[in-house]
Amino acid sequence: MSSRRFPLKGARARRKADGLAGTVFVSSPKTDLVAVRWQRRDETGTLLYDAERFAREWEVKRTSGAKWRMHAGVIALAAMAGIGIYCAAMEWKSIVASRAEAATRQKGSAGADGKSLRGANGRGDDGLLAAQAWAARACGRGADAFVQSIARNGYVWVDAATPDERFSGEIAVHVAPGITTSVSDKLLIKDGAGAYRRVELVCSYNSEENEVLKYWIADGGE
């Protein structure tokens, strides 16, 4: 299928049937997927299409000079995202360092053993980050069984070509010795009306036993 039929990510669109306004936030020729995020009053939602159906039901808003403004907007957004990611990374690095320091003090008083999350070379950060990455992979590979049990109408993973990409090792918190909680924002669940909504899937992992303890949806309780 020609990529020319796919709208640009970030493009504004209008549904032909009722004039509903939306924004394209996923446009993937590789998977033949177009996702439109819409908002109306206090309601928001996500709709998924293949390129052919999107072209039938939606039209992309075009104005004079729209292409130039789109590229300029993408560049500006990329720059802002880069700054935001850098700031978030610095803040997260500080949090990780604080947690590693606290863990070091705790382990120092209790004594270390072979199952410690600290690395063999004594560097707490290395062991901590390795544990988070391992937990993220384990959570991603086992997520489908849980999601299938709650998403009766269907679901889809966005920006996660493989199970290892569903959770990020950088978005994880050690809540207790050996217990890591990871969060994924890449899951869309389909409701009874056929609309998709983005949810935050939470995973609790026990590194001492090398097993996932449980999954739950952040806004749905444990």
Side-chain angles (χ1 to χ4, degrees):
M1 183 171 293
S2 172
S3 61
R4 296 178 181 177
R5 302 182 62 183
F6 285 81
L8 290 174
K9 183 177 180 179
R12 296 182 180 276
R14 184 181 66 86
R15 191 159 62 182
K16 298 175 183 177
D18 57 6
L20 178 67
T23 302
V24 176
F25 77 98
V26 175
S27 182
S28 174
K30 183 177 179 180
T31 57
D32 192 16
L33 173 66
V34 178
V36 181
R37 182 175 294 158
W38 59 267
Q39 182 172 2
R40 180 168 52 193
R41 294 183 180 178
D42 296 331
E43 297 180 293
T44 61
T46 301
L47 298 171
L48 301 184
Y49 303 91
D50 56 30
E52 184 177 353
R53 184 180 173 189
F54 173 81
R56 286 200 312 267
E57 299 186 13
W58 290 77
E59 60 181 5
V60 177
K61 294 184 179 180
R62 300 180 184 276
T63 59
S64 177
K67 184 175 181 180
W68 180 89
R69 287 195 298 273
M70 176 64 69
H71 287 301
V74 169
I75 294 173
L77 287 174
M80 293 174 63
I83 295 173
I85 291 172
Y86 175 80
C87 293
M90 292 300 98
E91 182 178 357
W92 182 255
K93 184 176 180 180
S94 176
I95 294 173
V96 169
S98 298
R99 290 182 180 276
E101 183 178 353
T104 299
R105 290 195 298 268
Q106 181 179 0
K107 290 295 183 180
S109 61
D113 57 32
K115 293 183 179 181
S116 172
L117 289 178
R118 294 176 56 82
N121 60 4
R123 293 180 61 191
D125 284 359
D126 289 347
L128 191 66
L129 294 176
Q132 290 173 182
W134 185 268
R137 288 194 295 271
C139 287
R141 294 172 184 176
D144 277 329
F146 170 76
V147 176
Q148 289 170 5
S149 71
I150 62 169
R152 305 298 184 186
N153 299 301
Y155 67 95
V156 64
W157 294 96
V158 178
D159 296 331
T162 67
D164 288 352
E165 297 173 342
R166 293 171 179 174
F167 288 82
S168 171
E170 297 179 356
I171 310 178
V173 177
H174 287 276
V175 297
I179 307 299
T180 300
T181 297
S182 301
V183 181
S184 171
D185 63 352
K186 299 179 179 181
L187 177 63
L188 303 180
I189 292 182
K190 189 177 184 181
D191 62 23
Y196 285 81
R197 67 183 183 95
R198 188 182 296 269
V199 300
E200 291 185 344
L201 178 63
V202 187
C203 171
S204 180
Y205 177 77
N206 185 342
S207 62
E208 301 289 337
E209 303 295 334
N210 294 323
E211 66 176 357
V212 173
L213 299 178
K214 61 181 175 181
Y215 295 94
W216 70 93
I217 301 301
D219 60 357
E222 299 188 18

